Amino acid sequence: MTSHSPDIAAPPAAGLLARLASGKLAVLLVLALLVAVPPLFFPSGFYYRVGAIVWILAIATIGLNLLMGFAGQVSLGHAGFLGIGAYAVALLPSRYGIHGIAAMVIGAALSAFIAWVAGRPILRLRGHYLAVATLGFGILIAMVLTNEQWLTGGPDGMRVPRLVLFDWPVRGSDTWYWIGGGAMLIAAWLALNLVDSPTGRALRAIHDSEVAARVIGVDVARYKLAAFVISAVYASVAGSLLAFFDGHITPDAAGFLRSVELVTMVVIGGMGSVVGSVIGTLVIVVLPQTLTFLSDYKHIMVGAFIMLFMIFLRAGIVPSLAALVRRRG
Amino acid sequence: MAGWTRRVFAGAAAAALMAFGASAAQAQIKIGAVLSVTGPASFLGDPSKKTLEIYVEQINAAGGINGQRLQLIIYDDGGDANQARTFATRLIEDDKIVAMVGGSTTGTTMAMIPLFEEARIPFISLGGAIQIIDPVRAYTFKTPHTDRMACEKIFQDLQRRRLTNIAMISGTDGFGASMHDQCVAVAPRYGVTIAHTERYGPRDSDMTPQLTNIRNRQGVQAVVNAGFGQGPAIVTRNYAQLQVPHPLYQSHGVASKQFIDLAGDAANGVRLPASALLVASMLPDSDPQKSVVVNYARTFEQKTGQPVSTFGGHAYDGLMILVEAIKKAGADPRKIRDAIEATRGFMGTAGVVNMSATDHMGLDLTAFRMLEIRNRDWTIVPEGGS
């Protein structure tokens, strides 16, 4: 099996130091530092907001990476699950008085169920069928959210009631920065554990060769389905958090462009790398903010940067740089 | 000066800066705009951006406001509510603006409102729907007419023509859906009965089935089409092909030359409510709005080489209301808010604006003109007769 995930699967012979540096704990430590250190340099609340968005979207990216980087399947409709999570916390508390956290859990369960039902027939197919089917699924969710105006407020969106934890209304970009960061760390920890488990090994086997995996007795369809369901739950939770944070949600959250953005984050950061997912999200969210001074040329430059990343860091930012360091060292 | 006094002094100065917005000390007044310059709503955001840039430059060339230059910071949200909220945070927290014009769509506006209300910074939205200003929020204003007013203007015209039974055909996009609901809400007040309802998707290319239903429906006397984009043009063409005998009304959403080009001769006889901007040169000289709309249209067309649109006009109104307020109140956001709310008799491209504590838009029905398309051009329907 090739090691396409340097931050989690280093060969045992690489020495204690290398193992430490690539162990689960080290990855979590790197991510924790990434969350904890930047606020020391934040000049205003705006930076907390951008940071919070990065951590929240990174949860969805980590989930999608489990599907893309490990199970080797592309989902072009993942924002659909983001939308389900978001509208769950917008609708359930305001219409049925369900607590925000419970609404988030219900949204995640609904996403898991939909992924399971939709994934069962689709994931028996190989190649691009899943990509096409998920593409249709994502557009379907966005259409429902746009057209069912009596329920969702239509294209103008709807208000999301503020999350209240133990009588304490959660507000402010800085608070959400730490909540998002914490949730992202938990998500990363769960993903790392999953990757290290027999399920993770089976998924990687499928990624490398479906035929070989089947020959050694891996139930390919079942594991692909598991990865799809898990990634849907990740996206749903991210959608819920994003909706709580924004306080207002529109069907754009479930749109096709958002799905493509998530795939871009995974690919830019590095397939099969948890840290890569976070870095990919960071780049895609922060890049447009830093390039605003270019005004009309911003979009061209964002595109150019993404192309440069793909040309020079082909395996994604984190795996490519890790390989570079290993070769030099 | 002793170290600690200097520090206290510096601290006080910094606090004062925060209070008045960092601009005061640099003799600059920072205002912001979050617009949908790209993406699906770019037809709203793009003319707004150009308008703001042209007029801020003009104001600065003429010496600014009260001797202070205006600094305009524009961000493009691409029509995405989440991005809009991020940029709004940036304007408030990082750029420290004193007021904001913009928010091109209702969706982006609604996402940004809580931030401005919390930061107590005046926010003049360019979004259409009535929910922006109803209920009234302390710091949120808007300049475009609401879709409810378009419905009322159409129903007034129906009353003049003594037509009471109508059919509606509406797009399922944000504009069409919102206007449809508002028309249903105000119809009883004008004694209008909506006898039949049809819908179409924003990308549909044939509305013959829906219009056939309407034609076959007994008792329908007129048809109202709520929608924008190319949908209404297709409705108009199909309507003529089917030779539906009733008068057809379009909304202010299609009030552009492009609509006439798309619909062709089928558009003859179609009526629609629109802002005076479209018929600037046709207004009688006695019309108090004439000079404002003629000047704006000329400036915009000269500087950009593009035909003027009502959406740019909304940005003009927003900027000018804000400029008037800053002239009176200085650069303190709270005082600017009070001054905006006190706007009376302001003549904008959308009509006369009279704001109050209970009305943060300030337009009435006279802001709309009822137009009829004849020979591929606009004509003004006299308000007296029909």
Side-chain angles (χ1 to χ4, degrees):
Chain A
M1 194 187 305
T2 56
S3 171
H4 54 267
S5 47
D7 56 331
I8 30 181
L16 190 66
L17 201 71
R19 213 183 326 167
L20 259 184
S22 58
K24 259 188 292 191
L25 216 64
V27 172
L28 284 176
L29 197 68
V30 168
L31 291 179
L33 285 176
L34 211 55
V35 173
V37 174
L40 299 175
F41 306 99
F42 283 175
S44 77
F46 160 64
Y47 293 81
Y48 280 103
R49 172 168 170 91
V50 174
I53 291 177
V54 171
W55 305 141
I56 291 171
L57 283 181
I59 298 171
T61 316
I62 291 171
L64 186 58
N65 209 338
L66 288 174
L67 183 70
M68 288 175 63
F70 293 96
Q73 307 294 317
V74 178
S75 167
L76 287 176
H78 238 54
F81 296 114
L82 213 73
I84 292 174
Y87 276 89
V89 299
L91 282 169
L92 295 178
S94 62
R95 295 208 161 214
Y96 306 104
I98 295 172
H99 189 272
I101 295 291
M104 188 162 118
V105 173
I106 294 171
L110 182 66
S111 294
F113 178 71
I114 291 176
W116 185 73
V117 170
R120 261 169 72 88
I122 300 167
L123 287 159
R124 292 184 178 278
L125 308 168
R126 290 181 51 181
H128 301 302
Y129 293 105
L130 182 68
V132 174
T134 51
L135 175 75
F137 161 77
I139 291 173
L140 207 67
I141 296 278
M143 267 175 73
V144 169
L145 295 178
T146 308
N147 292 347
E148 297 306 313
Q149 207 183 3
W150 58 276
L151 186 68
T152 65
D156 291 340
M158 68 181 294
R159 206 176 68 81
V160 182
R162 202 185 286 282
L163 178 65
V164 178
L165 285 179
F166 312 110
D167 293 335
W168 171 61
V170 184
R171 57 190 298 165
S173 296
D174 46 350
T175 314
W176 276 106
Y177 179 89
W178 297 113
I179 293 175
M184 185 274 285
L185 286 176
I186 295 171
W189 176 69
L190 290 173
L192 289 168
N193 275 318
L194 181 82
V195 168
D196 244 6
S197 70
T199 307
R201 283 192 289 278
L203 286 176
R204 263 175 287 160
I206 294 169
H207 181 262
D208 288 343
S209 162
E210 273 196 44
V211 176
R214 195 169 288 139
V215 168
I216 55 168
V218 174
D219 185 345
V220 172
R222 212 191 87 196
Y223 279 108
K224 282 202 279 191
L225 184 61
F228 189 52
V229 169
I230 292 167
S231 69
V233 170
Y234 267 71
S236 177
V237 169
S240 297
L241 292 174
L242 201 64
F244 277 134
F245 177 41
D246 272 348
H248 185 93
I249 191 80
T250 59
D252 301 326
F256 175 58
L257 282 177
R258 176 66 60 149
S259 291
V260 172
E261 198 177 68
L262 288 175
V263 172
T264 317
M265 287 168 176
V266 170
V267 175
I268 287 268
M271 298 240 266
S273 160
V274 172
V275 179
S277 306
V278 179
I279 298 293
T281 313
L282 189 75
V283 169
I284 297 296
V285 175
V286 174
L287 200 59
Q289 291 291 336
T290 53
L291 295 177
T292 46
F293 67 93
L294 296 167
S295 61
D296 289 350
Y297 302 99
K298 183 182 95 177
H299 297 282
I300 300 175
M301 283 311 291
V302 172
F305 267 109
I306 292 176
M307 279 165 68
L308 287 177
F309 278 130
M310 284 336 295
I311 292 168
F312 293 106
L313 302 170
R314 203 163 298 174
I317 296 171
V318 170
S320 297
L321 291 182
L324 210 67
V325 169
R326 216 172 307 138
R327 226 178 303 146
R328 291 273 162 82
Chain B
M1 202 190 291
W4 68 271
T5 33
R6 198 179 315 164
R7 233 169 297 149
V8 168
F9 185 73
L17 270 184
M18 303 278 268
F20 292 102
S23 47
Q26 305 146 8
Q28 285 220 344
I29 300 171
K30 276 194 191 178
I31 60 172
V34 178
L35 301 168
S36 308
V37 184
T38 58
S42 61
F43 68 98
L44 300 170
D46 185 60
S48 302
K49 174 173 183 272
K50 287 175 175 144
T51 302
L52 292 180
E53 283 170 346
I54 291 168
Y55 280 93
V56 166
E57 201 189 308
Q58 265 191 14
I59 290 166
N60 284 337
I65 308 174
N66 303 341
Q68 295 184 316
R69 285 174 58 81
L70 265 188
Q71 190 188 345
L72 170 71
I73 303 161
I74 299 180
Y75 294 121
D76 170 21
D77 60 34
D80 178 26
N82 176 268
Q83 282 282 355
R85 200 170 157 111
T86 301
F87 282 122
T89 313
R90 186 168 180 174
L91 285 173
I92 294 168
E93 306 249 354
D94 220 36
D95 300 319
K96 305 214 180 295
I97 56 164
V98 299
M100 148 115 165
V101 178
S104 296
T105 69
T106 304
T108 57
T109 297
M110 294 310 286
M112 292 188 284
I113 283 176
L115 296 174
F116 287 94
E117 289 295 324
E118 202 161 310
R120 298 188 179 191
I121 289 175
F123 172 21
I124 303 178
S125 168
L126 311 178
I130 194 162
Q131 73 209 63
I132 295 170
I133 48 147
D134 183 28
V136 174
R137 298 170 180 87
Y139 285 83
T140 310
F141 303 85
K142 85 185 207 73
T143 55
H145 324 94
T146 64
D147 27 24
R148 176 178 295 177
M149 292 167 63
C151 296
E152 289 174 332
K153 191 77 184 178
I154 292 173
F155 293 163
Q156 273 187 355
D157 200 56
L158 287 174
Q159 276 184 333
R160 269 196 296 274
R161 292 168 116 178
R162 301 185 199 291
L163 305 171
T164 52
N165 266 351
I166 65 162
M168 280 198 75
I169 174 165
S170 311
T172 54
D173 52 295
F175 180 91
S178 171
M179 179 166 167
H180 181 92
D181 293 348
Q182 295 301 332
C183 284
V184 171
V186 296
R189 244 184 271 163
Y190 291 84
V192 170
T193 315
I194 299 171
H196 190 81
T197 297
E198 291 284 345
R199 300 211 184 247
Y200 59 85
R203 276 182 286 278
D204 289 0
S205 55
D206 182 50
M207 282 60 147
T208 328
Q210 290 97 320
L211 291 170
T212 309
N213 284 343
I214 289 176
R215 190 181 62 176
N216 294 342
R217 173 93 194 192
Q218 290 298 312
V220 169
Q221 296 168 312
V223 179
V224 177
N225 180 195
F228 72 22
Q230 57 177 343
I234 297 169
V235 167
T236 307
R237 277 178 171 273
N238 292 162
Y239 201 83
Q241 283 157 7
L242 289 174
Q243 297 181 328
V244 188
H246 323 302
L248 175 62
Y249 285 85
Q250 290 290 350
S251 68
H252 56 310
V254 299
S256 71
K257 263 281 186 306
Q258 213 185 351
F259 169 72
I260 299 184
D261 292 342
L262 281 172
D265 285 329
N268 283 336
V270 169
R271 286 190 178 187
L272 69 161
S275 97
L277 196 54
L278 277 187
V279 285
S281 56
M282 281 177 223
L283 294 174
D285 287 333
S286 59
D287 195 308
Q289 214 184 341
K290 179 156 186 168
S291 67
V292 172
V293 288
V294 166
N295 280 336
Y296 171 70
R298 193 191 298 135
T299 309
F300 187 89
E301 280 168 6
Q302 266 175 7
K303 294 263 181 183
T304 63
Q306 287 164 349
V308 70
S309 91
T310 46
F311 310 117
H314 299 319
Y316 170 87
D317 295 353
L319 179 67
M320 290 309 160
I321 288 173
L322 178 60
V323 166
E324 290 300 319
I326 294 176
K327 267 184 198 163
K328 279 181 230 147
D332 178 7
R334 324 261 186 294
K335 289 181 187 154
I336 294 175
R337 185 215 87 90
D338 296 341
I340 295 175
E341 196 172 77
T343 302
R344 301 273 187 285
F346 169 83
M347 184 57 81
T349 62
V352 186
V353 177
N354 287 307
M355 301 256 191
S356 70
T358 53
D359 184 1
H360 275 191
M361 174 179 64
L363 293 168
D364 60 19
L365 285 189
T366 57
F368 269 133
R369 311 295 162 116
M370 183 53 73
L371 304 185
E372 186 173 312
I373 300 169
R374 275 185 213 150
N375 300 325
R376 298 200 174 200
D377 205 355
W378 314 108
T379 54
I380 303 173
V381 177
E383 300 278 316
S386 72

